[in-house]
């Protein structure tokens, strides 16, 4: 069945087709962290959903080019640096480092690029785009010297959020610092420098200042992925105004449809409320580790619910994650033992062969709950078959191979390595000797014997390494 996603733009499930279907290349842009504090696990729910998306597309044979930006200049970062009395770059650096550390703990695949908004190359691109928007009448410089996007000139403004512009006008409420704008909904592309910004400023044709948050993403996305991208992600709070503004700015410059599929993840909640820095109801990755949980357990807890369903964070949920992983570990150990025993079953259970139900569930708008449902149902049934001596070594091996495949998406291998049995180590040593003597036939036989015991030898540049069959 074809791959399909819920597109926020159309509010419909759509079949996935990339910009260029003649290749398997897919471009993905994901809004990254604003580095004014350590990201909380709500942010990481969004990044884990994006990780799942990338890994599933890869499993389906797509070649992904993913960009995740780092917002290292905006009101919050500037305020933070001022309060800490350190230069902006020094202030943001610590949170960038923490972000990469936490992402690694959660086994989130690295994007191909992590452009930073303050990189000169992108600042130039932002200035260039703003200039073009002014030239087309889509932006104007107001009396306060800032440059704003003129939303009334972009008829599609509001389409992504399904927002009625007249409602925006009818509120009639205008904040003090927005008097200069033509329309309350006009958003800043370039913010004129003021005292509060200290030495954070760049020169532009409109005077010194800094870019608005929205133009940062339009510039970095198009600079690295081109005018049209396949998938753009973020949390639902990014839909308006951030992503709406990204569309207006980018399409205002290129005249082309910017994004084919908009995917947004629902929030991580605490007691029914969005987990947010501003509400103070958040946990960071180190907070969770300090309670004795592992990165793997947190990854599972954030991954296991469909991305469009709000997920309530609880400690019971963490405990459930631990138990589910324990079941997977026990099952893998049992299968490995069975493979090692080379046993033949009296009768073969119906669960002799895994199906493609896991992948197919993910094809359906990344339905991870259904995919995991199939995994646990399979665990239950193969365990039962093993109890009744109805699973043979070949079937056990098939299940381990299947696990290896789905684990490229889940990345849930145990944190601690399983001890290597002495027998396996001895066989590996004999194989090394055979290889040294260039006795390839013997070496292959020994590899097969090792495999029969549920292990495999991987020849790495640091020499041969042993791993349980099926481990990623
Ligand atoms: P920020 O650093 O605030 O720009 O947010 C980074 C990413 O985290 C964005 O994609 C947000 O939409 C997302 N995000 C923020 N809070 C939550 C939350 N409680 N649950 C899920 N995603 C969130
Ligand atoms: Zn963004």
């Amino acid at each position: 069945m074809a791959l399909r996603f819920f597109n926020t733009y159309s509010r419909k499930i759509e079949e996935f087709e990339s910009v260029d279907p003649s290749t398997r290349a897919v471009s993905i842009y994901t809004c990254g962290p604003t580095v004014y504090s350590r990201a909380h696990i709500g942010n990481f729910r969004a990044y884990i959903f994006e990780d799942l998306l990338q890994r599933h597309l890869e499993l389906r044979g797509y070649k992904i080019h993913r960009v995740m930006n780092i917002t290292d200049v905006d009101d919050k970062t500037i305020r933070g640096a001022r309060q800490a009395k350190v230069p902006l770059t020094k202030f943001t650096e610590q949170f960038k480092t923490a972000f990469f550390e936490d992402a690694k703990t959660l086994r989130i695949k690295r994007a191909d690029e992590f452009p930073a908004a303050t990189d000169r190359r992108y600042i130039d691109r932002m200035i260039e785009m703003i200039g073009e928007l002014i030239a087309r009448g889509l932006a104007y410089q107001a009396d306060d010297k800032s440059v704003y996007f003129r939303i009334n000139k972009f008829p599609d403004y509001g389409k992504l959020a399904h927002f009625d512009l007249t409602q925006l006008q009818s509120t009639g409420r205008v904040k003090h610092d927005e008097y200069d704008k033509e329309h309350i909904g006009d958003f800043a592309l370039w913010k004129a420098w003021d005292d509060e910004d200290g030495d954070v400023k760049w020169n532009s044709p409109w005077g010194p200042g800094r870019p608005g948050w929205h133009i940062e993403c339009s510039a970095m996305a198009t600079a690295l992925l081109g005018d049209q991208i396949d998938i753009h992600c973020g949390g639902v709070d990014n839909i308006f105004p951030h992503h709406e503004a990204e569309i207006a700015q980018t399409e205002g410059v290129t005249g082309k449809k910017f994004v084919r599929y908009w995917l947004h993840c629902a929030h991580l909640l605490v007691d029914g409320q969005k987990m947010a820095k501003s509400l103070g109801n958040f946990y960071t990755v180190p907070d969770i580790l300090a309670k004795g949980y592992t990165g793997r357990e947190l990854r599972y807890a954030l991954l296991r619910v469909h991305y469009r369903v709000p997920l309530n964070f609880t400690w019971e949920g963490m405990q459930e994650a631990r138990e589910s992983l324990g079941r997977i570990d026990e099952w893998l150990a049992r299968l490995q033992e069975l493979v090692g025993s080379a046993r033949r079953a009296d009768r073969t259970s119906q669960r002799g062969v895994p199906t493609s139900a896991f992948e197919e569930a993910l094809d359906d708008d990344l339905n991870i709950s259904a995919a995991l449902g199939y995994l646990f149902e399979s665990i239950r049934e193969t365990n039962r078959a093993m109890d009744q001596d109805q699973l043979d070594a070949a079937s056990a091996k098939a299940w381990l191979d299947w696990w290896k495949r789905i684990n490229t998406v889940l990345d849930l291998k145990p944190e601690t390595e399983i001890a290597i049995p002495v027998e396996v180590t001895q066989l590996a040593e004999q194989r090394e000797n055979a290889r040294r003597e260039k006795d390839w036939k013997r070496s292959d036989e020994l590899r097969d014997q090792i495999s029969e015991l549920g292990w495999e030898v991987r020849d790495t540049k640091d020499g041969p390494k042993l791993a349980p069959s099926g481990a990623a």
Side-chain angles (χ1 to χ4, degrees):
M1 215 184 292
L3 195 53
R4 33 198 199 284
F5 297 121
F6 180 85
N7 190 345
T8 308
Y9 201 87
S10 64
R11 298 264 160 110
K12 287 198 180 87
I13 297 273
E14 294 177 13
E15 220 170 85
F16 179 70
E17 191 173 272
S18 57
V19 174
D20 181 3
S22 69
T23 72
R24 298 295 278 175
V26 170
S27 54
I28 305 181
Y29 185 85
T30 49
C31 288
T34 306
V35 281
Y36 72 105
S37 66
R38 195 164 195 132
H40 56 69
I41 58 169
N43 302 128
F44 280 105
R45 180 185 193 200
Y47 307 139
I48 283 186
F49 136 66
E50 292 152 1
D51 184 61
L52 174 67
L53 171 69
Q54 166 161 6
R55 287 167 180 269
H56 182 57
L57 284 165
E58 284 173 347
L59 183 76
R60 285 306 197 193
Y62 290 97
K63 184 137 185 25
I64 311 301
H65 182 182
R66 184 160 71 92
V67 172
M68 175 181 271
N69 74 295
I70 307 280
T71 302
D72 59 355
V73 57
D74 79 327
D75 294 346
K76 288 182 269 190
T77 45
I78 293 176
R79 199 181 314 126
R82 204 179 55 236
Q83 281 166 0
K85 297 191 174 48
V86 290
L88 182 66
T89 44
K90 184 151 192 280
F91 178 71
T92 55
E93 198 53 46
Q94 59 188 312
F95 301 118
K96 280 187 203 177
T97 309
F99 167 73
F100 288 118
E101 212 176 278
D102 293 346
K104 193 165 172 220
T105 303
L106 293 176
R107 307 176 181 192
I108 294 171
K109 265 196 161 180
R110 285 179 67 89
D112 299 286
E113 276 119 345
F114 289 98
T118 55
D119 187 325
R120 183 73 239 184
R121 171 179 171 201
Y122 304 118
I123 296 277
D124 288 345
R125 170 86 183 134
M126 294 169 210
I127 291 173
E128 185 190 8
M129 288 182 86
I130 297 168
E132 293 214 16
L133 290 170
I134 294 178
R136 284 164 205 226
L138 284 162
Y140 60 92
Q141 185 167 31
D143 293 343
D144 65 356
K145 298 273 183 283
S146 291
V147 179
Y148 295 96
F149 190 92
R150 187 176 269 135
I151 60 168
N152 278 336
K153 279 283 162 73
F154 190 79
D156 282 350
Y157 193 76
K159 281 244 171 98
L160 176 70
H162 297 242
F163 207 78
D164 181 1
L165 264 189
T166 53
Q167 298 220 334
L168 202 59
Q169 281 163 324
S170 68
T171 64
R173 273 186 279 122
V174 177
K175 276 198 274 154
H176 173 70
D177 61 351
E178 284 167 356
Y179 275 134
D180 293 313
K181 298 195 293 190
E182 289 176 5
H183 186 292
I184 183 178
D186 290 353
F187 55 86
L189 296 166
W190 188 258
K191 296 191 172 188
W193 181 86
D194 69 24
D195 290 345
E196 308 250 293
D197 295 337
D199 60 0
V200 180
K201 58 172 186 274
W202 289 268
N203 285 328
S204 80
W206 316 285
R210 61 186 165 94
W213 173 38
H214 315 315
I215 195 75
E216 294 178 3
C217 280
S218 289
M220 292 185 272
T222 52
L224 291 164
L225 297 172
D227 291 348
Q228 295 188 284
I229 62 179
D230 290 308
I231 306 176
H232 194 315
C233 308
V236 284
D237 57 314
N238 280 164
I239 298 173
F240 193 89
H242 186 51
H243 290 163
E244 194 75 61
E246 275 190 46
I247 296 175
Q249 298 160 152
T250 315
E251 297 188 2
V253 169
T254 67
K256 295 179 200 152
K257 189 163 177 64
F258 175 39
V259 170
R260 288 177 74 86
Y261 303 89
W262 285 96
L263 268 58
H264 292 100
C265 127
H267 282 144
L268 182 69
L269 311 174
V270 184
D271 298 329
Q273 261 197 318
K274 177 191 172 190
M275 181 176 287
K277 270 268 129 80
S278 55
L279 298 172
N281 61 351
F282 63 90
Y283 297 103
T284 62
V285 172
D287 290 340
I288 307 294
L289 301 184
K291 293 267 187 188
Y293 289 99
T294 62
R296 176 192 187 220
E297 287 165 341
L298 180 55
R299 174 177 174 83
Y300 184 81
L302 295 175
L303 182 76
R304 69 197 172 124
V305 170
H306 192 287
Y307 77 94
R308 283 195 293 120
V309 177
L311 168 60
N312 207 31
F313 176 80
T314 59
W315 294 109
E316 292 84 69
M318 287 302 303
Q319 201 52 38
E320 277 166 31
R322 175 167 289 177
E323 284 159 19
S324 301
L325 290 170
R327 269 199 283 157
I328 295 176
D329 294 348
E330 271 172 38
W331 177 64
L332 291 175
R334 249 186 121 175
L335 289 174
Q336 257 150 32
E337 208 186 297
L338 184 54
V339 170
S341 73
R343 180 185 305 172
R344 287 178 192 282
D346 303 341
R347 284 180 294 138
T348 314
S349 129
Q350 287 183 340
R351 278 286 167 162
V353 197
T355 71
S356 52
F358 183 92
E359 292 96 316
E360 279 166 21
L362 290 182
D363 284 348
D364 181 16
D365 195 29
L366 299 179
N367 192 344
I368 187 74
S369 326
L372 291 172
Y374 176 71
L375 167 66
F376 284 104
E377 192 190 308
S378 304
I379 291 180
R380 233 180 350 263
E381 295 194 11
T382 44
N383 274 339
R384 193 178 309 138
M386 284 189 272
D387 291 344
Q388 298 168 356
D389 218 359
Q390 287 183 1
L391 203 76
D392 59 16
S395 304
K397 177 80 167 54
W399 279 105
L400 283 178
D401 289 344
W402 174 76
W403 167 257
K404 186 174 178 178
R405 177 173 162 80
I406 68 162
N407 198 40
T408 60
V409 174
L410 297 172
D411 203 347
L412 292 173
K413 71 170 180 292
E415 215 98 23
T416 47
E417 292 301 326
I418 303 166
I420 308 170
V422 183
E423 213 184 332
V424 173
T425 322
Q426 283 170 349
L427 286 171
E429 278 166 13
Q430 288 172 26
R431 179 175 170 269
E432 264 315 279
N433 289 337
R435 278 163 63 87
R436 238 174 269 129
E437 286 158 18
K438 300 204 178 350
D439 184 351
W440 308 120
K441 188 163 166 285
R442 176 86 188 120
S443 150
D444 285 350
E445 281 166 12
L446 286 158
R447 179 190 281 276
D448 290 345
Q449 285 180 32
I450 293 169
S451 168
E452 276 163 21
L453 292 174
W455 288 78
E456 61 188 68
V457 196
R458 294 174 187 174
D459 293 309
T460 73
K461 58 179 180 341
D462 306 320
K465 293 258 182 311
L466 284 163
S469 304

